C-alpha cells in the first residue's frame, strides 16, 4: 500500500496573501483560511472537498493535492530545495503566461541556469519562493 501525497506546505510571512497569490496564478480556490493556515485546491476539486469525508480508499487516493500556507517569523534566505514546476498547454502562449505572472508580482530569478540553453524560466513568488515555467506541453 502507498501513502497519499496530500499537500505541499509553504512557510510564509503572510500565509493569506501567499494563498491568494497562488490561487490567482493557478486559478485555484481557498477551502480553509485561519490565521494559522490557508489552504488552496484546484477549482475542480472544490466540489469533492465540499462533499465531506471520503470513505472509499481508491476515491480518496485519486483526490488532488493542495497547497497549504503557514506562518513563520523568518523570511526566506536560501534557494528552495523543492520547487513547483508550472507548464502551459501547447495551445497557450507561454510568454504571455510568464508576463501575466510578472504582472501579478512574480520576479525573474537567476539560480545559475543558462537561459540560452534551458527550456524553462525561473521565477519567484512575492515572498521569494522559486518556481519554474516549463516549455509548453500536451502531456
Amino acid at each position: 500500500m502507498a501513502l497519499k501525497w496530500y499537500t505541499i506546505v509553504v512557510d510564509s510571512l503572510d500565509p493569506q496573501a501567499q494563498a491568494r497569490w497562488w490561487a490567482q496564478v493557478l486559478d485555484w480556490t481557498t477551502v480553509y483560511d485561519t490565521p494559522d493556515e490557508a489552504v488552496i485546491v484546484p477549482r475542480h476539486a472544490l466540489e469533492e472537498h465540499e462533499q465531506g469525508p471520503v470513505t472509499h480508499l481508491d476515491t480518496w487516493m485519486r483526490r488532488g493535492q493542495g497547497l497549504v500556507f503557514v506562518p513563520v517569523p523568518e523570511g526566506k534566505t536560501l534557494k528552495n530545495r523543492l520547487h513547483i514546476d508550472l507548464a502551459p498547454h501547447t495551445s497557450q502562449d507561454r510568454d504571455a503566461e510568464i508576463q501575466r505572472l510578472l504582472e501579478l508580482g512574480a520576479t525573474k530569478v537567476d539560480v545559475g541556469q543558462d537561459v540560452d540553453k534551458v527550456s524553462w524560466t525561473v521565477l519567484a513568488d512575492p515572498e521569494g519562493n522559486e518556481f519554474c515555467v516549463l516549455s509548453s506541453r500536451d502531456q
Side-chain angles (χ1 to χ4, degrees):
M1 182 184 300
L3 292 174
K4 176 181 175 42
W5 167 24
Y6 196 69
T7 61
I8 292 178
V9 178
V10 181
D11 291 348
S12 309
L13 292 173
D14 186 342
Q16 286 66 36
Q18 281 289 89
R20 283 190 305 274
W21 191 84
W22 277 101
Q24 189 171 12
V25 165
L26 299 170
D27 192 27
W28 286 15
T29 190
T30 302
V31 293
Y32 186 77
D33 191 0
T34 70
D36 295 323
E37 182 176 68
V39 180
I40 64 172
V41 299
R43 287 190 185 280
H44 70 270
L46 180 60
E47 186 176 304
E48 293 176 2
H49 282 269
E50 290 176 343
Q51 292 173 0
V54 175
T55 57
H56 193 267
L57 177 60
D58 288 339
T59 303
W60 187 75
M61 291 295 282
R62 286 192 305 273
R63 184 182 269 186
Q65 293 76 24
L67 288 173
V68 178
F69 300 88
V70 297
V72 295
E74 70 279 353
K76 182 180 168 299
T77 58
L78 301 172
K79 179 181 171 290
N80 293 7
R81 298 279 309 264
L82 175 72
H83 69 266
I84 296 172
D85 283 345
L86 305 177
H89 186 262
T90 54
S91 66
Q92 292 175 284
D93 180 340
R94 179 180 180 275
D95 292 337
E97 287 299 317
I98 290 172
Q99 185 59 40
R100 180 180 73 88
L101 297 172
L102 294 170
E103 289 170 3
L104 288 174
T107 54
K108 289 190 176 184
V109 178
D110 181 353
V111 293
Q113 74 276 22
D114 185 341
V115 295
D116 296 324
K117 294 184 179 181
V118 299
S119 62
W120 61 86
T121 300
V122 182
L123 301 173
D125 71 17
E127 287 196 7
N129 299 299
E130 297 93 5
F131 63 96
C132 294
V133 178
L134 305 177
S135 59
S136 298
R137 44 199 69 200
D138 59 10
Q139 293 191 36

